[in-house]
Amino acid sequence: MRSIASFPVPAVRSLRARLTIGLVVLLAVSCGAVGLATTTALEGFLVRRLDQQLTAVGNHFPASLDPARKLRGDGGPDTRGQATGTFGACVLGGTVTQAAVVRDQTETGVALTPADRRELVDVPGDGKGRTIRLSTLHDYRVIGVRGPAGDVLITGLPLQPVEDTVQRLQLVEAIVFGAALLATGIAGAAWVRLSLRPLRRVAATASRVAQLPLAGGEVAMPPRVPDTDPRTEVGQVGGAFNRMLRHVEDSLARRHASEERLRRFAADAGHELRTPVASIRGHAELALLHPGPVPDKVRHALDRVRCESVRMGELVDDLMLLARLDAGRPLADEPVDLTRLVLDAVSDASAAGREHRWVLELPEEPVVVRGDERGLQQVLTNLLANARTHTPPGTRVSVGLGERDSQVEILVEDDGPGVPQELQSEIFERFVRSDDGRSRSAGGTGLGLAITHAVTSAHGGCVELRSRPGRTVFRVALPQPGDIG
């Protein structure tokens, strides 16, 4: 047989349901205790009344059953004044000599089984009431007294009226208590729901806060919770929650102000640095074109000045692009042939990295999206430059383009050493470099992947990294255009 514990019991997680169930259970326990007490008290009272009746009736009926009375001419059994169902028996020397019951004011014999006879023989003649069960008469309350001949005269009354009364009381209590539990459950659920309404407002406010884009930008916090009465538990929760919201709002405002200052600084610094950087580069290139003899050391220094000015110019352009994207300025929205961009980017990368093995996988039909062509070109350039720079010569780099699940996918995969596990979670952040100790001539500025992420997000897409030793995959997903005109 399957045990009860093996059946799954649904867990009640709602506070409202638990409070309502707890209230109903407590009331049910109280009703059960009241019902048990009342039925026990009533049954005891009725049994005592029955004992009193037996005492009042006395032993006239069982004494009249004695056969010796007939021999003496005293008449038959005396049923006068005896209630219907009255039982009488005579026990002499451990044997039941007579047993009868009153039916319609007449004496009727009772057929006794051996078990019934043992029950009657065990009744002492102490005049105290006790309950016995006879097979043909069921439960009886009997009293035994000593007769003049040394026998035990037993008088009994049926317990059926007592049991019927107790059962009727139990039925009434079950109906009344059931209705009370049902009404209490409904009213309690409504009351608990009304009492927990302030807590639901706190939860609704917390849900609205959880849906806010707290990662960056200016954030408008929702209205505060109105229930802040410190005399109630819910009010204490609401007050603490409002204080937390104020702290969060102040922190977000300070962070937004700091980001705005940094964004303005990057934009202003880019504008201010662009001209002098271009001037330095121009003068260095002009000096290198001098027709006269130039010492080798001076030429080398001028060449380094030119290279570093080019590098600084690229850094300024990257900073200005990130500043524009952070400011939320809209990008161009025009049809862009990604197939052509991928071909051009792989061609440029293979020319710059001849030691790598470049593999191109393109669909038969051109893939076109809407967006900013220059930004998407920079995304491809950064991903391929990252694969070329951070993998050893001979590495296989595969570039794939396709459509999947209503998205356009660009996959850049290589079989290099992979991205360190500790850097994968922050690889798209700014100024993150996989090798802090490498020379500046070998590495980038740490902005390439940050620009890739920012440009992709501005197009409504995403960029993901999956990397392990021997396999690194950058996946760029862009939304497909609905209708390109």
Side-chain angles (χ1 to χ4, degrees), residues 91-425:
V91 178
L92 180 62
T95 301
V96 179
T97 59
Q98 292 292 330
V101 65
V102 176
R103 301 290 188 191
D104 298 327
Q105 297 299 318
T106 61
E107 171 261 346
T108 303
V110 178
L112 299 176
T113 65
D116 296 339
R117 295 180 182 276
R118 286 193 297 271
E119 284 271 3
L120 294 173
V121 169
D122 291 339
V123 176
D126 55 1
K128 295 180 180 180
R130 56 186 32 83
T131 300
I132 66 173
R133 184 174 181 84
L134 302 177
S135 58
T136 57
L137 300 178
H138 302 294
D139 293 337
Y140 260 71
R141 190 72 177 176
V142 298
I143 288 179
V145 295
R146 291 287 177 180
D151 55 354
V152 177
L153 304 177
I154 299 174
T155 306
L157 289 173
L159 281 173
Q160 187 66 37
V162 174
E163 294 174 351
D164 292 342
T165 303
V166 172
Q167 289 175 359
R168 283 195 298 271
L169 176 62
Q170 291 174 343
L171 178 61
V172 171
E173 287 180 339
I175 295 174
V176 173
F177 291 162
L181 289 176
L182 179 61
T184 302
I186 296 174
W191 176 253
V192 170
R193 181 182 180 86
L194 181 64
S195 301
L196 293 181
R197 187 167 56 182
L199 193 59
R200 290 199 301 273
R201 285 195 285 266
V202 173
T205 304
S207 298
R208 289 195 295 269
V209 173
Q211 295 172 359
L212 294 175
L214 303 179
E218 188 174 7
V219 179
M221 301 299 289
R224 301 295 189 265
V225 177
D227 308 284
T228 57
D229 188 355
R231 295 172 297 179
T232 64
E233 290 80 0
V234 176
Q236 295 172 8
V237 173
F241 186 76
N242 286 344
R243 289 192 296 272
M244 182 190 70
L245 285 184
R246 284 195 294 271
H247 293 322
V248 171
E249 188 174 31
D250 292 342
S251 300
L252 291 176
R254 287 195 294 269
R255 187 199 65 182
H256 179 66
S258 176
E259 290 177 350
E260 286 294 325
R261 288 193 297 270
L262 181 60
R263 190 177 297 116
R264 286 195 298 269
F265 169 77
D268 295 342
H271 283 295
E272 295 297 329
L273 289 175
R274 175 174 288 180
T275 299
V277 168
S279 178
I280 293 173
R281 178 180 176 182
H283 284 293
E285 291 176 349
L286 180 62
L288 287 174
L289 295 176
H290 189 273
V294 178
D296 292 339
K297 290 184 179 181
V298 175
R299 183 175 294 278
H300 176 72
L302 291 174
D303 186 64
R304 294 305 306 153
V305 169
R306 182 186 62 81
C307 292
E308 292 302 320
S309 63
V310 171
R311 182 185 180 86
M312 186 175 292
E314 293 176 351
L315 175 60
V316 169
D317 291 340
D318 291 345
L319 289 174
M320 293 187 66
L321 175 59
L322 286 174
R324 289 196 301 271
L325 293 173
D326 289 341
R329 296 180 184 177
L331 298 174
D333 185 19
E334 57 186 7
V336 178
D337 187 353
L338 277 183
T339 304
R340 180 179 58 82
L341 288 185
V342 172
L343 281 171
D344 294 343
V346 172
S347 177
D348 295 340
S350 61
R354 297 182 179 277
E355 299 86 357
H356 289 67
R357 293 180 292 121
W358 300 91
V359 179
L360 185 59
E361 299 177 2
L362 296 176
E364 296 181 358
E365 298 294 331
V367 178
V368 180
V369 297
R370 296 195 69 90
D372 185 85
E373 181 175 355
R374 183 175 179 183
L376 294 176
Q377 183 179 18
Q378 191 162 6
V379 167
L380 291 168
T381 301
N382 290 342
L383 290 178
L384 296 180
N386 181 78
R388 173 176 53 84
T389 304
H390 299 297
T391 57
T395 300
R396 180 181 183 273
V397 181
S398 174
V399 182
L401 176 64
E403 299 178 6
R404 179 183 178 185
D405 297 335
S406 301
Q407 288 182 326
V408 176
E409 284 188 344
I410 303 174
L411 299 177
V412 178
E413 180 180 353
D414 65 70
D415 57 1
V419 179
Q421 185 67 34
E422 62 274 10
L423 288 180
Q424 293 185 18
S425 60

Side-chain angles (χ1 to χ4, degrees), residues 21-92:
I21 292 174
L23 177 63
V24 173
V25 167
L26 288 177
L27 182 59
V29 172
S30 301
C31 291
V34 171
L36 179 62
T38 54
T39 53
T40 302
L42 178 62
E43 185 177 16
F45 171 75
L46 294 178
V47 168
R48 287 193 298 271
R49 287 285 302 272
L50 205 60
D51 290 344
Q52 292 173 1
Q53 292 178 20
L54 288 172
T55 302
V57 169
N59 60 354
H60 300 293
F61 178 58
S64 66
L65 298 175
D66 187 359
R69 294 188 60 184
K70 296 180 179 180
L71 296 177
R72 294 194 302 267
D74 294 339
D78 184 8
T79 61
R80 291 174 299 174
Q82 304 295 328
T84 300
T86 302
F87 173 78
C90 298
V91 178
L92 180 62

